[in-house]
PDB file of all heavy atoms in Angstrom:
ATOM      1  N   ILE A 225     146.623 -66.799 205.689  1.00 69.00           N
ATOM      2  CA  ILE A 225     146.863 -65.785 206.664  1.00 69.00           C
ATOM      3  C   ILE A 225     148.411 -65.467 206.793  1.00 69.00           C
ATOM      4  O   ILE A 225     148.842 -64.365 206.839  1.00 69.00           O
ATOM      5  CB  ILE A 225     146.327 -66.124 208.053  1.00 69.00           C
ATOM      6  CG1 ILE A 225     144.809 -66.184 208.010  1.00 69.00           C
ATOM      7  CG2 ILE A 225     146.780 -65.224 209.173  1.00 69.00           C
ATOM      8  CD1 ILE A 225     144.101 -66.742 209.180  1.00 69.00           C
ATOM      9  N   ASN A 226     149.259 -66.531 206.724  1.00 64.00           N
ATOM     10  CA  ASN A 226     150.631 -66.385 206.884  1.00 64.00           C
ATOM     11  C   ASN A 226     151.209 -65.553 205.627  1.00 64.00           C
ATOM     12  O   ASN A 226     152.074 -64.890 205.587  1.00 64.00           O
ATOM     13  CB  ASN A 226     151.443 -67.719 206.974  1.00 64.00           C
ATOM     14  CG  ASN A 226     151.247 -68.442 208.292  1.00 64.00           C
ATOM     15  OD1 ASN A 226     150.964 -67.597 209.273  1.00 64.00           O
ATOM     16  ND2 ASN A 226     151.316 -69.639 208.387  1.00 64.00           N
ATOM     17  N   GLY A 227     150.585 -65.918 204.387  1.00 61.00           N
ATOM     18  CA  GLY A 227     150.836 -65.202 203.220  1.00 61.00           C
ATOM     19  C   GLY A 227     150.594 -63.813 203.309  1.00 61.00           C
ATOM     20  O   GLY A 227     151.282 -62.991 202.842  1.00 61.00           O
ATOM     21  N   ASP A 228     149.427 -63.387 203.970  1.00 59.00           N
ATOM     22  CA  ASP A 228     149.097 -62.077 204.228  1.00 59.00           C
ATOM     23  C   ASP A 228     150.051 -61.335 205.036  1.00 59.00           C
ATOM     24  O   ASP A 228     150.510 -60.167 204.677  1.00 59.00           O
ATOM     25  CB  ASP A 228     147.697 -61.945 204.896  1.00 59.00           C
ATOM     26  CG  ASP A 228     147.357 -60.527 205.143  1.00 59.00           C
ATOM     27  OD1 ASP A 228     147.487 -59.639 204.366  1.00 59.00           O
ATOM     28  OD2 ASP A 228     146.842 -60.379 206.337  1.00 59.00           O
ATOM     29  N   ARG A 229     150.631 -62.018 205.926  1.00 57.00           N
ATOM     30  CA  ARG A 229     151.744 -61.354 206.743  1.00 57.00           C
ATOM     31  C   ARG A 229     152.995 -61.065 206.035  1.00 57.00           C
ATOM     32  O   ARG A 229     153.597 -60.090 206.149  1.00 57.00           O
ATOM     33  CB  ARG A 229     151.979 -62.254 207.993  1.00 57.00           C
ATOM     34  CG  ARG A 229     150.997 -62.316 209.002  1.00 57.00           C
ATOM     35  CD  ARG A 229     151.187 -63.472 210.101  1.00 57.00           C
ATOM     36  NE  ARG A 229     150.173 -63.533 211.088  1.00 57.00           N
ATOM     37  CZ  ARG A 229     149.907 -64.581 211.794  1.00 57.00           C
ATOM     38  NH1 ARG A 229     150.755 -65.605 211.723  1.00 57.00           N
ATOM     39  NH2 ARG A 229     148.971 -64.572 212.722  1.00 57.00           N
ATOM     40  N   GLU A 230     153.303 -62.116 205.080  1.00 53.00           N
ATOM     41  CA  GLU A 230     154.457 -61.941 204.349  1.00 53.00           C
ATOM     42  C   GLU A 230     154.303 -60.781 203.273  1.00 53.00           C
ATOM     43  O   GLU A 230     155.139 -59.906 203.024  1.00 53.00           O
ATOM     44  CB  GLU A 230     154.761 -63.166 203.482  1.00 53.00           C
ATOM     45  CG  GLU A 230     155.950 -63.078 202.546  1.00 53.00           C
ATOM     46  CD  GLU A 230     157.208 -62.704 203.176  1.00 53.00           C
ATOM     47  OE1 GLU A 230     157.343 -62.966 204.469  1.00 53.00           O
ATOM     48  OE2 GLU A 230     158.206 -62.412 202.465  1.00 53.00           O
ATOM     49  N   GLN A 231     152.970 -60.670 202.773  1.00 57.00           N
ATOM     50  CA  GLN A 231     152.712 -59.620 201.913  1.00 57.00           C
ATOM     51  C   GLN A 231     152.754 -58.313 202.655  1.00 57.00           C
ATOM     52  O   GLN A 231     153.269 -57.203 201.929  1.00 57.00           O
ATOM     53  CB  GLN A 231     151.289 -59.776 201.211  1.00 57.00           C
ATOM     54  CG  GLN A 231     150.754 -58.624 200.446  1.00 57.00           C
ATOM     55  CD  GLN A 231     151.406 -58.647 198.986  1.00 57.00           C
ATOM     56  OE1 GLN A 231     152.393 -59.327 198.771  1.00 57.00           O
ATOM     57  NE2 GLN A 231     150.956 -57.774 198.184  1.00 57.00           N
ATOM     58  N   LYS A 232     152.359 -58.208 203.792  1.00 63.00           N
ATOM     59  CA  LYS A 232     152.408 -56.930 204.523  1.00 63.00           C
ATOM     60  C   LYS A 232     153.800 -56.621 204.804  1.00 63.00           C
ATOM     61  O   LYS A 232     154.157 -55.289 204.866  1.00 63.00           O
ATOM     62  CB  LYS A 232     151.606 -57.157 205.894  1.00 63.00           C
ATOM     63  CG  LYS A 232     151.392 -55.922 206.618  1.00 63.00           C
ATOM     64  CD  LYS A 232     150.614 -56.122 207.964  1.00 63.00           C
ATOM     65  CE  LYS A 232     149.285 -56.638 207.694  1.00 63.00           C
ATOM     66  NZ  LYS A 232     148.472 -56.877 208.965  1.00 63.00           N
ATOM     67  N   ARG A 233     154.644 -57.512 205.136  1.00 63.00           N
ATOM     68  CA  ARG A 233     156.105 -57.249 205.351  1.00 63.00           C
ATOM     69  C   ARG A 233     156.706 -56.556 204.040  1.00 63.00           C
ATOM     70  O   ARG A 233     157.431 -55.616 204.094  1.00 63.00           O
ATOM     71  CB  ARG A 233     156.851 -58.502 205.697  1.00 63.00           C
ATOM     72  CG  ARG A 233     158.277 -58.344 206.075  1.00 63.00           C
ATOM     73  CD  ARG A 233     159.056 -59.695 206.174  1.00 63.00           C
ATOM     74  NE  ARG A 233     159.061 -60.190 204.961  1.00 63.00           N
ATOM     75  CZ  ARG A 233     160.062 -59.947 204.036  1.00 63.00           C
ATOM     76  NH1 ARG A 233     160.883 -58.992 204.310  1.00 63.00           N
ATOM     77  NH2 ARG A 233     160.207 -60.622 202.971  1.00 63.00           N
ATOM     78  N   ILE A 234     156.404 -57.189 202.846  1.00 62.00           N
ATOM     79  CA  ILE A 234     156.977 -56.763 201.537  1.00 62.00           C
ATOM     80  C   ILE A 234     156.540 -55.350 201.344  1.00 62.00           C
ATOM     81  O   ILE A 234     157.162 -54.511 200.957  1.00 62.00           O
ATOM     82  CB  ILE A 234     156.638 -57.706 200.502  1.00 62.00           C
ATOM     83  CG1 ILE A 234     157.288 -59.146 200.647  1.00 62.00           C
ATOM     84  CG2 ILE A 234     156.902 -57.115 199.099  1.00 62.00           C
ATOM     85  CD1 ILE A 234     156.755 -60.177 199.625  1.00 62.00           C
ATOM     86  N   VAL A 235     155.239 -55.058 201.586  1.00 67.00           N
ATOM     87  CA  VAL A 235     154.563 -53.803 201.233  1.00 67.00           C
ATOM     88  C   VAL A 235     155.297 -52.800 202.215  1.00 67.00           C
ATOM     89  O   VAL A 235     155.570 -51.600 201.782  1.00 67.00           O
ATOM     90  CB  VAL A 235     153.121 -53.845 201.422  1.00 67.00           C
ATOM     91  CG1 VAL A 235     152.432 -52.323 201.497  1.00 67.00           C
ATOM     92  CG2 VAL A 235     152.452 -54.680 200.337  1.00 67.00           C
ATOM     93  N   THR A 236     155.391 -53.104 203.520  1.00 71.00           N
ATOM     94  CA  THR A 236     155.954 -52.193 204.493  1.00 71.00           C
ATOM     95  C   THR A 236     157.480 -51.820 204.124  1.00 71.00           C
ATOM     96  O   THR A 236     157.797 -50.636 204.180  1.00 71.00           O
ATOM     97  CB  THR A 236     156.005 -52.746 205.871  1.00 71.00           C
ATOM     98  OG1 THR A 236     154.618 -53.048 206.246  1.00 71.00           O
ATOM     99  CG2 THR A 236     156.515 -51.851 207.006  1.00 71.00           C
TER     100      THR A 236
END
Side-chain angles (χ1 to χ4, degrees):
I225 294 174
N226 290 336
D228 173 46
R229 291 171 179 159
E230 176 64 13
Q231 175 76 351
K232 191 180 296 184
R233 186 190 66 80
I234 293 171
V235 168
T236 302

